[in-house]
């Protein structure tokens, strides 16, 4: 008889449900024999990488037989200058998901509590469970984080708090000053992770209200801020992100970092991207126009949606959401179901190129009229 590995697995792992990614373009092409497929399911930047990132990758290609710089020195130098922090405060990750995992593994013992919001990014509960932590999902307020309620949930076993600003998949956000006030009243031994995956978009849409939280690192040794090259920088396939924290937290995370966790092409592309202001400006302008177009179209169709300052919008499906998702797939448009976020009646659509947004709206109209 075969060994039952599932029964022998780590208890926390037995209870895990894998992360559900957006459907890949090729998969849908394969399944339905479709030529033209538009993927608006994973909040990627439809402009792709900047020209300077592509040039840097091409130059690095010849060197790919060498192991990457395991310390990521050149990228870290640029990030340090960009944020005004020391090199020792930066932890590089294979996507920003990795530092999120490192901090959990570094701080959360069996039964320790981790606080996040209802409807918040799926990795928080998943990673918390994986390390044997106890996740506390604080009920959302108008789909967003209820910081007062989250503060009230802090107890002696609380190790970590996750705040996604803006949050994915809801696109909801908090003004920086509100998060600052929250930090001020919090016990110093509780670490707060502010996930700023969509910072570039959010800051461009609300320049007065959304600030770079890493500016507070000097004041809060228990603060950690994460950023990624997957979204506005257009490098999702390379997997590169980072966290900024006190050197003490960075040292703990660095112990867990697998050797060479960021590959050499990613390091080169990221280093070339960080100061490419014009590419980010193009991306945020396109996003602004796309959000306007999608909101106006939803309004015209009488479809409810959540106001977003990310590069995506979650909207209420006027018919069964799973059915609508399938109807859109039939027409070659991939969006994202969000039932696993306790939003069973909604779908999330990423902002694409102008013509992709139009194709989506056209497919949506078709789906609802048929
Ligand atoms: C996309 C996303 C990330 C970043 O993922 P990467 O691992 O950097 O690709 C992190 N947090 C949130 C909320 C996200 O939506």
């Amino acid at each position: 008889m075969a060994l039952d590995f599932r029964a022998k697995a780590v208890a926390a792992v037995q209870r895990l449900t894998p992360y559900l990614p957006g459907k890949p373009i090729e998969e849908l092409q394969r399944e339905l024999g479709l030529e033209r497929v538009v993927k608006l399911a994973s909040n990627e930047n439809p402009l792709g990488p900047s020209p300077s990132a592509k040039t840097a990758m091409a130059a690095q290609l010849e060197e790919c037989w060498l192991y990457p710089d395991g310390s990521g020195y050149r990228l870290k130098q640029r990030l340090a200058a960009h944020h005004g922090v020391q090199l020792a405060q930066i932890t590089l990750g294979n996507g920003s998901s990795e530092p999120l995992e490192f901090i959990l593994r570094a701080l959360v013992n069996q039964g320790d509590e981790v606080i996040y919001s209802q409807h918040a990014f799926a990795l928080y509960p998943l990673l918390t469970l994986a390390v044997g932590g106890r996740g506390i999902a604080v009920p959302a307020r108008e789909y967003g984080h209820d910081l007062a309620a989250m503060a009230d949930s802090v107890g002696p076993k609380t190790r970590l708090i996750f705040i996604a600003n803006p949050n994915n998949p809801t696109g909801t956000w908090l003004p920086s000053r509100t998060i600052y006030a929250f930090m001020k009243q919090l016990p110093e031994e509780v670490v707060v992770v502010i996930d700023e995956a969509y910072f570039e978009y959010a800051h461009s849409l609300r320049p007065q209200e959304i600030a770079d939280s890493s500016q507070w690192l000097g004041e809060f040794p228990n603060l950690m801020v994460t950023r990624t090259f997957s979204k506005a920088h257009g490098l999702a396939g390379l997997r590169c992100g980072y966290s900024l924290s006190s050197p003490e937290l960075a040292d703990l995370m660095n112990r867990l970092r697998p050797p060479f966790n960021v590959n050499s092409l990613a390091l080169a592309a990221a280093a070339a991207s960080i100061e490419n202001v014009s590419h980010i400006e193009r991306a945020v302008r396109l996003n602004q126009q796309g959000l306007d177009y999608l909101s106006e179209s939803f309004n015209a169709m009488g479809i409810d949606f959540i106001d977003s300052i990310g590069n995506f919008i979650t909207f209420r499906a006027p018919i069964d959401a799973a059915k609508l998702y399938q109807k859109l797939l039939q027409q070659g448009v991939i969006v994202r179901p969000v039932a696993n976020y306790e939003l069973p009646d909604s779908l999330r659509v990423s902002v694409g190129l102008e013509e992709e947004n139009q194709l989506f709206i056209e497919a949506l109209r078709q789906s609802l009229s048929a």
Side-chain angles (χ1 to χ4, degrees):
M1 231 189 75
L3 256 174
D4 185 0
F5 285 112
R6 208 174 317 177
K8 291 185 188 302
V10 175
V13 175
Q14 293 189 32
R15 288 192 294 270
L16 288 183
T17 316
Y19 178 79
L20 221 69
K23 195 178 192 59
I25 291 173
E26 270 191 43
E27 189 176 299
L28 185 62
Q29 286 172 328
R30 244 186 351 254
E31 288 172 354
L32 295 183
L34 291 171
E35 188 93 354
R36 173 93 209 247
V37 167
V38 174
K39 184 186 181 214
L40 300 173
S42 301
N43 304 343
E44 292 129 336
N45 176 356
L47 295 175
S50 69
S52 54
K54 283 193 240 186
T55 307
M57 276 189 274
Q60 192 59 45
L61 215 48
E62 286 298 321
E63 309 281 328
C64 77
W65 56 280
L66 286 166
Y67 277 106
D69 171 4
S71 75
Y73 180 76
R74 225 156 54 86
L75 173 57
K76 285 212 275 197
Q77 255 199 333
R78 300 223 172 157
L79 291 172
H82 183 76
H83 291 283
V85 299
Q86 301 159 29
L87 261 59
Q89 295 180 270
I90 304 169
T91 307
L92 296 181
N94 194 269
S96 61
S97 320
E98 218 183 23
L100 297 177
E101 181 186 340
F102 295 155
I103 196 67
L104 274 155
R105 288 173 59 202
L107 297 180
V108 177
N109 283 295
Q110 284 283 330
D112 282 347
E113 290 172 359
V114 177
I115 297 174
Y116 40 78
S117 176
Q118 179 192 20
H119 310 313
F121 189 41
L123 270 188
Y124 312 151
L126 196 154
L127 295 172
T128 299
L129 274 179
V131 301
R134 208 166 88 75
I136 300 190
V138 175
R141 210 170 108 195
E142 291 170 48
Y143 298 107
H145 292 51
D146 183 343
L147 280 193
M150 287 172 78
D152 286 343
S153 306
V154 173
K157 300 207 108 195
T158 306
R159 290 289 155 274
L160 263 178
I161 301 178
F162 286 106
I163 299 174
N165 201 41
N167 181 46
N168 168 23
T170 56
T172 50
W173 56 285
L174 296 160
S176 292
R177 64 184 140 71
T178 307
I179 302 179
Y180 179 83
F182 172 80
M183 291 289 307
K184 272 284 202 199
Q185 50 148 31
L186 213 65
E188 270 187 1
E189 67 271 14
V190 176
V191 170
V192 176
V193 177
I194 307 180
D195 182 338
E196 297 187 341
Y198 302 95
F199 177 81
E200 295 84 355
Y201 296 116
H203 179 66
S204 79
L205 288 161
R206 294 285 187 282
Q208 306 298 320
E209 288 140 293
I210 300 287
D212 178 352
S213 314
S214 72
Q215 302 312 304
W216 314 328
L217 284 170
E219 194 174 345
F220 302 117
N222 56 331
L223 171 64
M224 166 165 155
V225 180
T226 56
R227 293 282 186 99
T228 182
F229 289 95
S230 300
K231 306 287 158 60
H233 286 284
L235 300 172
L238 291 181
R239 312 304 302 125
C240 188
Y242 59 97
S243 71
L244 306 167
S245 66
S246 58
E248 291 76 13
L249 289 178
D251 169 59
L252 288 172
M253 288 191 280
N254 198 42
R255 298 173 195 202
L256 292 162
R257 204 166 56 86
F260 314 114
N261 64 328
V262 185
N263 72 71
S264 51
L265 293 188
L267 287 173
S273 292
I274 190 70
E275 292 303 349
N276 194 325
V277 178
S278 61
H279 192 66
I280 295 291
E281 278 173 358
R282 276 186 68 207
V284 301
R285 212 174 314 122
L286 182 76
N287 187 55
Q288 214 149 356
Q289 291 161 355
L291 284 177
D292 288 346
Y293 168 75
L294 291 173
S295 315
E296 285 161 19
S297 304
F298 287 144
N299 280 332
M301 299 167 80
I303 292 176
D304 274 346
F305 60 93
I306 308 172
D307 270 323
S308 167
I309 62 167
N311 63 341
F312 54 89
I313 304 186
T314 289
F315 62 97
R316 180 84 53 85
I319 58 172
D320 179 75
K323 212 169 275 172
L324 179 56
Y325 171 67
Q326 291 299 334
K327 286 187 173 211
L328 291 169
L329 286 183
Q330 297 292 331
Q331 296 172 80
V333 178
I334 311 173
V335 296
R336 190 71 162 266
V338 285
N340 57 328
Y341 286 92
E342 295 183 38
L343 296 165
D345 303 331
S346 300
L347 293 172
R348 188 193 71 193
V349 62
S350 306
V351 175
L353 298 171
E354 189 179 356
E355 56 164 0
E356 294 175 324
N357 301 333
Q358 287 167 355
L359 272 167
F360 159 70
I361 290 295
E362 197 37 53
L364 184 58
R365 279 189 212 280
Q366 282 288 335
S367 306
L368 297 177
S369 70

